Amino acid sequence: ETGVTQTPRHLVMGMTNKKSLKCEQHLGHNAMYWYKQSAKKPLELMFVYSLEERVENNSVPSRFSPECPNSSHLFLHLHTLQPEDSALYLCASSQRTGGLDGGYTFGSGTRLTVV
Amino acid sequence: DAKTTQPTSMDCAEGRAANLPCNHSTISGNEYVYWYRQIHSQGPQYIIHGLKNNETNEMASLIITEDRKSSTLILPHATLRDTAVYYCIVRDRGSSNTGKLIFGQGTTLQVKP
């Protein structure tokens, strides 16, 4: 365990379903991130939250809706996804600014398959 | 963020040192060099980072050239469990932003018995 927990580990959903991915950290970090990793492609940064405020949305389609209710929890709400959205979704956390931290701590990811 | 260039893949014999190069010729003065690795289907794992001095921790050593245009990650005694994709990332850790990590393709290191 890295200190960042993602659930579920695996998810299969139909294109008309609504589901949510959950990320939880108890590292005292105040910034959280969603990344997408498709097969044979680099990680793509989707969303950035700093102090529970969304500070970046990298042109992600509206069928992905993030939510950060507090500094320890991050959700990714999914609806009407497409098969090409099948990927590994990774959550990470970090200290917002400064310090001599070791960068980001990643969770183990949720493997999403859209059928 | 500055761009990095890494070889696509490398092999290393088990027990030998693995030396992974990275070019970052456009790095700016306030950008750090970070290394992460990703073992198959897991989240990336932080390895080490540095600004201009060489750094060492329990996992690896980081050698940064004097002009900071390139660096080398050294795994001193590679094991089969070090087989992974290794990412070299330059990151602005200025106080005004979250210093986001942008990943490239990385180097796939295969450690062989």
Side-chain angles (χ1 to χ4, degrees), chain A residues 73-92:
Chain A
H73 294 86
L74 184 67
F75 295 89
L76 188 63
H77 303 300
L78 316 171
H79 64 96
T80 59
L81 294 192
Q82 304 298 312
E84 59 264 30
D85 296 321
S86 299
L88 180 67
Y89 288 84
L90 289 156
C91 172

Side-chain angles (χ1 to χ4, degrees), chain B:
Chain B
D1 290 353
K3 202 172 177 180
T4 63
T5 304
Q6 300 177 252
T8 302
S9 62
M10 294 181 63
D11 289 343
C12 177
E14 188 178 18
R16 303 297 293 269
N19 297 288
L20 292 94
C22 179
N23 287 320
H24 30 78
S25 57
T26 59
I27 193 170
S28 63
N30 60 341
E31 286 181 318
Y32 285 67
V33 180
Y34 277 76
W35 283 84
Y36 282 76
R37 73 179 183 184
Q38 187 176 21
I39 296 170
H40 181 63
S41 292
Q42 297 181 25
Q45 175 191 23
Y46 164 79
I47 301 173
I48 198 167
H49 74 284
L51 183 63
K52 54 184 177 182
N53 297 323
N54 297 337
E55 303 288 343
T56 295
N57 63 21
E58 64 277 5
M59 289 183 69
S61 295
L62 175 60
I63 308 298
I64 302 174
T65 58
E66 193 168 339
D67 63 9
R68 303 210 322 124
K69 293 185 177 183
S70 66
S71 61
T72 301
L73 179 75
I74 301 172
L75 308 178
H77 306 287
T79 71
L80 298 178
R81 287 187 291 182
D82 291 322
T83 293
V85 180
Y86 286 78
Y87 299 98
C88 169
I89 303 166
V90 293
R91 176 191 179 203
D92 184 351
R93 293 184 66 234
S95 60
S96 62
N97 61 52
T98 56
K100 59 190 178 186
L101 283 178
I102 304 299
F103 288 79
Q105 295 281 5
T107 296
T108 298
L109 175 68
Q110 181 74 46
V111 180
K112 299 187 172 181

